[in-house]
């Protein structure tokens, strides 16, 4: 049984259909959706937290991190979702709705692309769109699960994952889209793209768009005419890469009940904890940093039985010292012998500069010193003192367990 607390970190609920129907508006409306995360992320941690009285946040901007996905046919007849992150922003690609018209800036964030698709398809029979490109673009950049040349297109054409045609009217027929509308869309786009302009949606007009484009392509890294046959189409539907909506927590990662009171011994981190960004998506990986941070906070708080001021107080004491003294004092505060520090530091520096290609890679090795030296001290002495276990939290206890040494008061 847990002696100090329980941390819920089960990856949110992207694989739970009931919760998605409850919190994904388009799924509640009966629209299709496929989630890319593992099928085991079924909201188990969130449900456990709720049974203990934990409150689920209801005020996030979006319940999940959206991403358009294509469905890749598998040998057993099933399909797997493939998220489309970047090729939409490359030159030679456009996206059209079921009517054959463009509806958004293809180089915008994948998180913004899905709401635009949903809005464009409110009156359509299904929520989907088509990603289009010409032969030059697909061989240079690929498309969805299809890599660039020399990766073959044949298997994907035979499976139906990719559609191809020698002309736009022929491709429109395969897409079941009005040929006249699709031709007019491509003609209008090409007329502006040849000048590097997109007056309709501004593709390639800010730094994020251009990052998703091709810096070697001029004048606009995100725009090129679609003119070299054959032409290709791939269907995209709404998807996600993880949920934002989760359990409410306080600054110690403790789960809060409906009145905002912390539940003793219960913590949440990762996607079981509600998004620190309120369900917005400022950049890729926005769930990773908070997951690491609040997991660390939760472990320290649980290990210290609710008192976690020592590390902060130590940093405050060190803040007034010169930078070189701060580093030395910090290591000394962590109960590390100075001579061992020097020996391990010099060894790691030598190893780093011998194997690393950059200064940053070598300096990162410095982060290995505290846990490595601590492990050496534990192994040499044969026990872990209680005060060290408190200072290092769960790390000390885990190391002691692996080494088979006792924990003493």
């Amino acid at each position: 049984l847990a002696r100090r607390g329980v941390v819920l970190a089960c990856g949110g609920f992207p694989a739970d259909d009931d919760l998605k129907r409850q919190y994904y508006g388009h799924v509640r409306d009966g629209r299709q959706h496929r989630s890319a995360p593992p099928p085991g992320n079924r909201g188990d941690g969130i449900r456990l937290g709720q049974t203990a009285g934990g409150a689920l946040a209801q005020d996030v901007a979006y319940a999940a991190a959206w991403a358009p996905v294509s469905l890749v046919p598998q040998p057993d007849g099933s399909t797997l979702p493939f998220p489309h992150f970047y090729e939409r922003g490359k030159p030679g690609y456009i996206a059209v709705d079921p009517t054959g018209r463009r509806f958004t800036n293809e180089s915008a964030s994948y998180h913004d692309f899905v709401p635009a698709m949903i809005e464009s398809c409110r009156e359509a029979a299904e929520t989907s769109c088509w990603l289009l490109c010409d032969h030059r673009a697909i061989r240079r950049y690929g498309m969805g699960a299809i890599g660039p040349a020399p990766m073959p297109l044949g298997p994907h054409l035979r499976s139906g994952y990719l559609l191809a045609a020698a002309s736009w009217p022929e491709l429109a027929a395969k897409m079941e889209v009005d040929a006249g509308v699709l031709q007019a869309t491509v003609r209008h786009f090409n007329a502006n793209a040849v000048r590097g302009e997109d007056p309709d949606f501004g593709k390639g007009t800010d730094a994020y768009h251009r990052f998703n484009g091709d810096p070697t392509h001029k004048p606009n890294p995100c725009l090129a005419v679609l003119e070299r046959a054959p032409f290709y189409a791939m269907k995209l539907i709404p998807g996600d890469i993880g949920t934002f909506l989760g359990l409410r927590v306080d600054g110690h990662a403790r789960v809060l009940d409906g009145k905002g009171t912390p539940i003793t011994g219960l913590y949440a981190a990762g996607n079981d904890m509600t998004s620190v960004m309120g369900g917005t998506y400022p950049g890729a990986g926005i769930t990773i940093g908070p997951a690491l941070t609040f997991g660390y906070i939760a472990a320290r708080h649980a290990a210290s039985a609710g008192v976690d001021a020592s590390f902060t107080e130590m940093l405050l004491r060190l803040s007034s010292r010169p930078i070189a003294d701060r580093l030395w004092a910090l290591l000394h505060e962590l109960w590390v012998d100075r001579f061992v520090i020097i020996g391990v530091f010099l060894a790691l520096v030598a190893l780093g500069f011998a194997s690393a290609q950059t200064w940053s890679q070598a300096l990162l090795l410095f982060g290995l010193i505290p846990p490595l030296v601590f492990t050496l001290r534990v192994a040499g002495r044969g026990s872990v003192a209680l005060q060290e276990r408190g200072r290092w939290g769960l790390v000390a206890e885990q190391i002691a367990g692996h080494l088979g040494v006792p924990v003493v008061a």
Side-chain angles (χ1 to χ4, degrees):
L1 295 177
R3 294 181 293 121
R4 295 174 181 263
V6 173
V7 181
L8 301 172
C10 303
F13 62 88
D16 186 271
D17 292 336
D18 290 338
L19 287 173
K20 286 194 290 188
R21 276 191 293 269
Q22 187 174 354
Y23 295 109
Y24 293 11
H26 59 288
V27 176
R28 184 170 57 248
D29 294 338
R31 303 292 177 142
Q32 57 186 335
H33 182 100
R34 289 288 296 273
S35 297
N41 294 13
R42 299 187 300 269
D44 299 324
I46 291 174
R47 287 195 177 89
L48 285 171
Q50 288 179 303
T51 60
L56 200 63
Q58 302 288 338
D59 55 354
V60 296
Y62 290 107
W66 308 126
V69 298
S70 54
L71 302 181
V72 186
Q74 301 299 300
D76 63 0
S78 64
T79 58
L80 289 177
F82 188 94
H84 288 244
F85 293 132
Y86 301 116
E87 94 272 43
R88 296 171 293 103
K90 296 291 188 289
Y93 294 82
I94 63 172
V96 299
D97 63 19
T99 70
R101 297 176 175 87
R102 287 181 74 209
F103 60 93
T104 192
N105 183 334
E106 295 88 354
S107 60
S109 165
Y110 40 90
H111 182 63
D112 297 329
F113 187 91
V114 170
M117 185 200 312
I118 293 171
E119 181 61 30
S120 178
C121 295
R122 289 202 180 276
E123 304 301 323
E126 69 172 16
T127 300
S128 64
C129 71
W130 293 95
L131 187 61
L132 310 177
C133 70
D134 67 359
H135 189 70
R136 177 173 50 194
I138 199 170
R139 299 317 281 155
R140 182 171 177 80
Y141 307 111
M143 197 176 196
I146 306 170
M151 300 305 293
L153 301 179
H156 303 288
L157 292 169
R158 289 189 291 272
S159 71
Y161 178 58
L162 181 68
L163 303 182
S167 68
W168 290 113
E170 182 184 348
L171 187 61
K174 293 184 177 182
M175 297 163 55
E176 299 182 356
V177 169
D178 185 283
V181 173
L182 183 62
Q183 281 186 291
T185 296
V186 174
R187 189 182 306 114
H188 175 73
F189 175 83
N190 283 347
N192 293 302
V194 73
R195 299 190 301 271
E197 300 173 358
D198 179 19
D200 299 314
F201 296 102
K203 187 178 183 182
T205 55
D206 70 20
Y208 180 83
H209 302 166
R210 293 189 290 274
F211 171 80
N212 288 333
D214 180 349
T216 68
H217 182 80
K218 307 296 181 182
N220 188 322
C222 302
L223 293 175
V225 296
L226 285 70
E227 61 182 359
R228 182 179 172 187
F231 305 109
Y232 300 91
M234 183 177 290
K235 179 176 280 192
L236 308 183
I237 65 171
D240 70 79
I241 52 175
T243 50
F244 284 151
L245 190 150
L247 296 164
R248 292 192 182 280
V249 301
D250 66 5
H252 295 292
R254 295 178 296 184
V255 175
L256 303 177
D257 64 18
K259 296 180 179 180
T261 303
I263 300 173
T264 302
L266 185 62
Y267 303 84
N271 288 9
D272 282 352
M273 179 188 83
T274 196
S275 164
V276 298
M277 296 295 169
T280 60
Y281 197 78
I286 193 55
T287 60
I288 299 174
L292 293 170
T293 301
F294 279 88
Y296 175 77
I297 290 172
R300 284 190 61 85
H301 192 273
S304 60
V307 180
D308 193 30
S310 60
F311 191 69
T312 302
E313 292 172 356
M314 179 179 65
L315 292 180
L316 289 175
R317 291 200 309 273
L318 297 175
S319 62
S320 61
R321 303 187 187 185
I323 185 64
D325 291 345
R326 291 182 204 175
L327 180 60
W328 184 266
L330 175 62
L331 293 170
H332 184 69
E333 285 276 355
L334 294 177
W335 296 73
V336 181
D337 183 84
R338 297 187 181 189
F339 294 104
V340 179
I341 292 173
I342 295 173
V344 175
F345 174 71
L346 293 177
L348 284 176
V349 168
L351 174 64
F353 287 116
S355 60
Q357 297 179 358
T358 65
W359 272 84
S360 59
Q361 291 176 359
L363 293 175
L364 282 175
L365 290 173
F366 188 77
L368 298 173
I369 293 176
L372 179 58
V373 171
F374 179 73
T375 304
L376 292 174
R377 296 182 70 241
V378 170
R381 193 169 62 229
S383 65
V384 179
L386 183 61
Q387 64 268 27
E388 287 193 32
R389 185 177 58 166
R391 183 175 297 275
W392 281 85
L394 299 179
V395 175
E397 198 166 3
Q398 291 173 356
I399 292 175
H402 286 304
L403 294 174
V405 298
V407 178
V408 298

